Amino acid sequence: MREQLGAACLAAVALVTSEAIAGQELGELPLVSEGSLVFHVDLAGYRGSEGRTDQEFYVSITNDQVGFSEQDGIWQGELRLEIVVKDGDGKRVLELKSKLRPEALTDLDAEDRGIVQIIREGGELAPGVYELAVKLVDEKTLKPGLFNQMRNVKMRGVASGWIEIHDFGGPQMGLSDLALVRSVRVAGQEAFGRHGVDFDPNASRLYGLVLPAVRCYLEVYAGSAFSEGTSFLVRTRVLDRGEVPVLERKTRMVPKGGSFVVVDELPLRPREIAPGRYFLDVGVFNESTREMASVRRSFDIIWSVTSWGQDPEALLQEMALLMRDSEYRELTKLSAGAREVYLAEYWRDLDPDPDTAQNEALIAFRQRVIHADRQFESTLQRGVLTDRGRIYVRYGPPDDIAFEYSSAGFGLDGTSERVAGPGERAGRWPGRARYPVEPAVGLVPGIRRIPGRGCLRRIGADGRGEHQSQVTRGVDLRRSGPAAVEDRARRRQPPGSEVHLRGRDGGRKLPAHRK
């Protein structure tokens, strides 16, 4: 009785453990990293040896995030990759480490977001559910901030999630995972790539403006019923979210062996297919045995130059300045293609004059963002994230700027800290003001607070400095700061109402800012 009870307990524990592993929420592919480096991770599995799966891991990162340095006329970077796969008990079953030394011909290529660095690693795993962690470190770039630089903290990102490794064994006809790729090279030799085919994976799964054709790589395992001379019909389709085919292509193949490769591509044209989330579906039909198998993967199509050229995190930071909380939460949940559609509709609704070719509200917003980033940027954060930048983007240029100046120079030794009095204020300091200065918070390196006054001292490269205090009309620096200005403007607006962009650009409307 005791032995039966013990066996029952062990069976129950095994069942609970199996259900716990199987019940893990699988990460949506491709995985996107978190941290100071943003990269994508995608997977594809193929038939391995002795019932195992030959699993490949694809990592891609854009050049603008990699630190390059010039060596012998060539710009070089250094990336370190670590891939760790754990089973349900937390035991490491696979660990891969590699280094990539990307190169760029010019400094412009080194900062080009359109150039992608690709890392491809692989190993054999038994079918099942695993926990994946991918860490990428830029060995040449330190994380911003004095504390990080003192501790030699390097730029890095981590992507993690639960993944499922598929089983490609069995006597029936089967297909490998569908690999979405950027380019394909066919050599016809088994030693070259996989079955004579090499490819550059598209870990981000983005197509459209830069990649105007969706390409794929697939392995077909014909099964035990295969005989020489058997023909297979291959159908490749692009489906929208409603399962409606928007593109389709059919080919017939007569392979020489029981395992063969399918490489296909479908051209994309802006007038025929809109931006958004789609599925690439590949079906293989054995015309002799009437067996059929299919596999699909999601991908995004984006046509906007902004979608391709701008960092998604930077885009979210900018839209957070304007959108309501509900709108912003919805935006963060969308894929790249769906986000492009959402933003197009968002700005179309704000267009003050739909009859013109340009969206004046969008142009004004972009100009303010550019100005804020250039004018208020610090070593710690971009300009639009500062109090001054946020207020400038929301409300526009100030109507008035008041100045305080000093007639004395300032040395690096901190002497001569005389601030101009009210009687000395005049328009004798043209073009030197910045709007608005943060009097008490958010001070950046190179700017010092003068005790007891709403003024700042900026030390120049020549060792001379100047006091300045710039405010909008009617705001007392001693009792109010940018946050008070913002709160005061918010209280003047009814809840849910629109806020006018005040200033020199015509008072156009944008939605109420996030509360």
Side-chain angles (χ1 to χ4, degrees), residues 4-26:
Q4 294 178 354
L5 180 61
C9 291
L10 289 176
V13 171
L15 179 61
V16 171
T17 303
S18 176
E19 289 180 350
I21 296 176
Q24 292 290 348
E25 183 177 354
L26 299 179

Side-chain angles (χ1 to χ4, degrees), residues 229-378:
T230 301
S231 63
F232 292 82
L233 181 65
V234 180
R235 181 182 65 181
T236 306
R237 300 184 299 170
V238 173
L239 309 176
D240 63 15
R241 298 182 71 93
E243 303 287 326
V244 177
V246 294
L247 294 174
E248 184 172 339
R249 169 188 167 106
K250 294 181 180 179
T251 56
R252 182 169 278 102
M253 305 180 66
V254 182
K256 297 181 179 180
S259 298
F260 60 97
V261 171
V262 174
V263 176
D264 206 350
E265 74 172 54
L266 293 174
L268 306 173
R269 298 179 178 85
R271 295 183 180 180
E272 297 178 1
I273 185 167
R277 169 63 62 90
Y278 293 87
F279 299 94
L280 184 65
D281 182 274
V282 180
V284 180
F285 178 67
N286 187 325
E287 295 183 318
S288 297
T289 64
R290 318 302 290 179
E291 291 180 285
M292 183 172 181
S294 64
V295 63
R296 69 171 55 179
R297 282 213 158 164
S298 63
F299 68 97
D300 284 275
I301 296 178
I302 53 179
W303 295 111
S304 170
V305 176
T306 302
S307 299
W308 280 101
Q310 186 177 22
D311 179 10
E313 182 64 26
L315 174 65
L316 292 177
Q317 292 172 353
E318 296 168 7
M319 298 312 299
L321 301 176
L322 294 179
M323 286 184 162
R324 298 179 177 89
D325 286 339
S326 58
E327 295 172 330
Y328 181 76
R329 284 194 299 267
E330 183 177 356
L331 182 69
T332 58
K333 298 177 182 177
L334 299 177
S335 65
R339 184 177 298 170
E340 181 174 310
V341 176
Y342 184 87
L343 289 177
E345 295 177 351
Y346 178 85
W347 286 109
R348 189 181 302 117
D349 293 339
L350 296 178
D351 192 351
D353 191 356
D355 296 331
T356 60
Q358 296 179 329
N359 188 327
E360 291 79 7
L362 177 57
I363 293 175
F365 175 74
R366 294 305 313 160
Q367 290 174 344
R368 293 182 184 185
V369 168
I370 294 173
H371 178 85
D373 278 338
R374 290 178 177 175
Q375 196 76 1
F376 309 126
E377 180 183 16
S378 71

Side-chain angles (χ1 to χ4, degrees), residues 492-514:
R492 288 199 294 264
Q493 297 290 337
S497 64
E498 292 183 322
V499 176
H500 287 266
L501 292 176
R502 300 193 301 273
R504 294 189 296 268
D505 55 0
R508 303 185 181 96
K509 294 181 179 180
L510 287 179
H513 57 269
R514 301 173 66 224

